[in-house]
Amino acid sequence: MDISSLTVDVVKEGLQARRFSAVELTTEALRHAREENPKTNAYLHFSDERALATARCVDEKLARGEDPGLLAGVPVAIKDVIVTQGVRTTCGSKLLAGYVPPYDATAVTRLEQAGAVMIGKTNCDEFAMGSSNENSAFGPVRNPHAPDRVPGGSSGGSAAAVAQGTAVVALGSDTGGSVRQPASFCGVVGVTPTYGRVSRYGLTAFASSLDHIGPLARNVRDAAQVLRAIAGRDALDSTSAEAPIPDYTAQLDGNVKSMKLGLPREYLKDLTSETGDLISKGIETLQKMGCEVREISLPTTDYAIGCYYIIATAEASSNLARYDGVRYTFRSRSSETLSDMYRKTRGEGFGAECKRRIMLGTYVLSAGYYDAYYLKAQKVRTLIARDFSNAFSQVDAIVAPVSPFPAFKIGEKLDDPMAMYLSDIYTITGDLAGIPCMSVPCGKTAEGLPVGMQILAKHFDEARMFRLADAFERSGGASN
Amino acid sequence: MKITEREVRYVADLANLALTDDEVRKFQHDLDEILAHMDRLNEIQTSGVEPMTQVVYEAGETATLRPDRERPGIGSELALANAPLASHGYFKVPEVIKR
């Protein structure tokens, strides 16, 4: 059985035809993932017992002639910032190295209800803060396409697992591009759904007004099926939306004729690199498919980085206050008083990037600076969201790059946090506006490094975004 | 310098974060650079613009209240299972006030 070439539909068909059982598939998937893991360090731990229990349940349903679910038997990997009952969840942090959550995230519950089999938890930047996966306390992840390069971040392990072929699909989380950018670097599909489309219950909070759970997959159809399974209102997350969930796959008909696509001037003007050439070729492909392309303007783009890093770090500094050595983290041994224990636990436990963001967030929220930074940023966020709603009154979807460059070398950008932040420019805006966006493979550079094209759509219009991405994928992307 | 070493130490204190002297110097440099970039937001006119505190979209009314039904909690044993130090159903911490 070749695990690396499986898709959701192939698994479904194989189970129905009794070519393999879910337990056989799961056993093989776990063996394969373990064997391949030293090449990338994509997984932090495997969940054999739970995986086999879910697989047995699928097999029993099949034997009884019941519907085993939309994702029956599909091996999935879950980013280690999403909590899983009884399965260690570290958030890539030394602080939570031994944390075993007493409950499941809603997205995980829903995946298993749909028959999906969680085989393990994936490596990521500590508390999802980073764009390279180098901020994990458990070592960096290597890009399956080029082992000396990063897989992107922060969902680097999930993207690498899917690209490497050890999981059919994976869940990641996206606050400023953490699903789309690693998907782009690893040559897979990565989706950030509308804010509120997927419950955040059980997603370790980084910046609550920006956090999303989203799927990674080797094709658009699989990603759409995963989203269908995990989407929808959840009483345990009051920001989850009561919105109808269409059958996305029914709309993947390849017909994108006359679809109006906007190309944001501000995103493409400085993009003269190989990445820019590939995106331009991708846009030509879309035109050949019958899409109408026009230039649009998102005038507030220049201020998005400042806006994002104020809001994200402010929210993070509050959310990360809970890691204090009392309830579930490691505790510094050398403290004599309570306040000393908090300070030392956090000082010893957090990595450099988390500390930097806690410091920034605390500064912008501190007395005298709140209005100048946090409130100002929230107003600029309104303008950024307005840019998008204006654009969507003229076009059906927006096409853009995901990252200014492909996967870079491990260690190359570690000493320049500002440069790393600036590289998030094309992805943070979608999170700030809360609109659905995704990365779909758009060819490779001469060196063989994948490049992703970003598609952004209106709130809750994932169906149209998937239709365009699927049609693009079928046409061969930028290689056409 | 936009931010002084004293301010870095003050902010670290607010954040309950013990930093080494090297970290203080490093973060002073990093924060300075990042805050200078953030200050560019002042170039943009925002008077009369409402702050966006949450993602807003046009949608039907969401029932934000769930039915008030009793359900079992996770219990203190499980709640304490990840604690670095616990006993008799409580989290244990070092002395709060030094006598």
Side-chain angles (χ1 to χ4, degrees):
Chain A
M1 195 185 318
D2 179 12
I3 300 280
S4 63
S5 65
L6 292 177
T7 64
V8 170
D9 290 342
V10 170
V11 172
K12 190 177 294 171
E13 201 261 330
L15 287 174
Q16 300 286 4
R18 301 289 195 271
R19 262 199 296 284
F20 46 79
S21 70
V23 168
E24 283 165 356
L25 173 60
T26 301
T27 309
E28 176 56 17
L30 283 162
R31 189 200 62 76
H32 180 64
R34 266 207 181 83
E35 189 178 282
E36 293 293 303
N37 201 41
K39 294 179 189 164
T40 58
N41 196 28
Y43 292 86
L44 292 175
H45 21 266
F46 295 98
S47 43
D48 301 60
E49 207 177 308
R50 182 158 166 174
L52 289 165
T54 318
R56 272 194 295 274
C57 189
V58 168
D59 284 337
E60 282 161 19
K61 281 188 179 164
L62 282 164
R64 288 196 300 262
E66 292 169 24
D67 176 12
L70 186 64
L71 301 171
V74 173
V76 303
I78 307 285
K79 184 179 183 181
D80 214 20
V81 292
I82 299 171
V83 302
T84 43
Q85 184 174 4
V87 177
R88 201 144 58 94
T89 301
T90 66
C91 298
S93 178
K94 183 180 162 186
L95 279 165
L96 294 176
Y99 177 60
V100 180
Y103 69 105
D104 274 328
T106 298
V108 172
T109 306
R110 289 185 179 174
L111 275 183
E112 285 187 342
Q113 278 167 355
V117 175
M118 174 179 74
I119 59 166
K121 304 294 296 288
T122 54
N123 205 341
C124 55
D125 285 301
E126 185 177 12
F127 292 106
M129 296 180 186
S131 317
S132 69
N133 215 120
E134 291 164 290
N135 301 329
S136 165
F138 307 104
V141 173
R142 296 179 177 279
N143 191 314
H145 294 270
D148 57 336
R149 290 177 186 264
V150 303
S154 64
S155 311
S158 288
V162 171
Q164 199 180 8
T166 56
V168 174
V169 294
L171 289 187
S173 69
D174 194 309
T175 303
S178 283
V179 163
R180 287 159 288 156
Q181 186 254 23
S184 154
F185 280 17
C186 291
V188 300
V189 172
V191 179
T192 309
T194 307
Y195 182 85
R197 185 55 117 175
V198 177
S199 168
R200 289 183 293 112
Y201 182 71
L203 169 62
T204 307
F206 159 11
S208 306
S209 79
L210 295 160
D211 291 342
H212 305 70
I213 288 179
L216 295 109
R218 285 194 290 274
N219 62 58
V220 176
R221 196 180 163 81
D222 283 2
Q225 298 196 82
V226 173
L227 181 60
R228 179 123 199 261
I230 62 176
R233 172 75 186 164
D234 173 19
L236 299 170
D237 172 7
S238 63
T239 61
S240 67
E242 196 103 56
I245 304 151
D247 179 359
Y248 300 120
T249 52
Q251 306 191 31
L252 305 180
D253 57 7
N255 183 12
V256 292
K257 214 166 158 33
S258 308
M259 201 186 269
K260 292 194 207 60
L261 304 182
L263 308 179
R265 185 183 311 147
E266 295 80 2
Y267 288 40
L268 296 162
K269 64 172 195 256
D270 298 324
L271 200 67
T272 49
S273 58
E274 224 181 329
T275 297
D277 295 343
L278 285 166
I279 299 294
S280 300
K281 274 176 80 179
I283 292 166
E284 279 170 33
T285 303
L286 292 169
Q287 281 175 303
K288 279 186 216 152
M289 289 157 50
C291 296
E292 288 172 23
V293 168
R294 67 176 75 170
E295 192 180 83
I296 56 161
S297 174
L298 300 168
T300 322
T301 302
D302 264 0
Y303 302 97
I305 293 278
C307 172
Y308 173 83
Y309 276 96
I310 290 170
I311 293 173
T313 58
E315 294 186 13
S317 72
S318 314
N319 278 326
L320 268 51
R322 73 192 66 181
Y323 305 109
D324 57 7
V326 177
R327 290 153 298 168
Y328 30 65
T329 57
F330 114 105
R331 178 183 292 184
S332 167
R333 289 174 182 280
S334 63
S335 39
E336 288 184 0
T337 65
L338 182 65
S339 112
D340 199 36
M341 189 273 282
Y342 291 150
R343 290 163 41 82
K344 286 184 178 158
T345 294
R346 291 162 61 77
E348 292 166 27
F350 283 119
E353 185 58 35
C354 285
K355 285 182 192 169
R356 184 155 38 235
R357 295 198 193 192
I358 290 170
M359 291 292 290
L360 263 172
T362 305
Y363 180 86
V364 299
L365 288 177
S366 63
Y369 294 113
Y370 180 91
D371 285 1
Y373 289 103
Y374 191 62
L375 189 64
K376 179 78 184 182
Q378 286 187 316
K379 290 180 176 177
V380 174
R381 186 176 181 181
T382 299
L383 299 177
I384 290 167
R386 203 178 282 168
D387 281 357
F388 280 104
S389 48
N390 289 340
F392 287 125
S393 67
Q394 306 160 49
V395 297
D396 300 315
I398 294 172
V399 173
V402 175
S403 166
F405 37 70
F408 46 88
K409 294 238 165 80
I410 292 174
E412 191 183 321
K413 294 187 196 289
L414 262 185
D415 295 332
D416 193 350
M418 192 64 220
M420 199 80 111
Y421 293 176
L422 290 173
S423 73
D424 296 338
I425 178 65
Y426 304 130
T427 48
I428 50 171
T429 49
D431 294 287
L432 286 165
I435 55 174
C437 30
M438 67 185 288
S439 174
V440 59
C442 184
K444 286 181 179 176
T445 64
E447 262 186 287
L449 302 173
V451 166
M453 181 171 82
Q454 188 175 200
I455 301 173
L456 305 95
K458 271 181 256 200
H459 289 124
F460 300 106
D461 200 9
E462 287 89 355
R464 197 193 310 246
M465 179 175 87
F466 286 142
R467 180 138 58 99
L468 181 63
D470 169 72
F472 182 68
E473 182 181 77
R474 286 196 220 183
S475 77
S479 57
N480 189 2
Chain B
M1 278 289 187
K2 190 164 165 53
I3 182 164
T4 62
E5 189 191 313
R6 227 181 110 197
E7 275 180 301
V8 172
R9 291 188 190 278
Y10 169 70
V11 171
D13 210 43
L14 289 177
N16 269 328
L17 210 49
L19 298 181
T20 63
D21 290 344
D22 278 351
E23 283 177 321
V24 169
R25 272 190 297 276
K26 170 94 180 98
F27 289 144
Q28 185 184 357
H29 167 270
D30 292 351
L31 262 57
D32 205 66
E33 190 180 20
I34 298 162
L35 289 168
H37 183 88
M38 288 174 171
D39 280 340
R40 292 191 45 216
L41 293 195
N42 293 322
E43 294 167 11
I44 190 167
Q45 182 58 251
T46 51
S47 58
V49 177
E50 283 293 309
M52 179 171 166
T53 52
Q54 270 291 338
V55 174
V56 277
Y57 37 75
E58 280 175 40
E61 193 84 359
T62 298
T64 45
L65 296 178
R66 59 171 169 76
D68 187 16
R69 272 197 297 267
E70 216 179 304
R71 53 189 177 126
I74 60 169
S76 62
E77 200 180 319
L78 207 49
L80 292 168
N82 284 292
L85 198 62
S87 73
H88 298 86
Y90 293 98
F91 295 104
K92 284 184 81 173
V93 295
E95 272 185 275
V96 176
I97 299 163
K98 199 100 186 115
R99 254 170 269 173

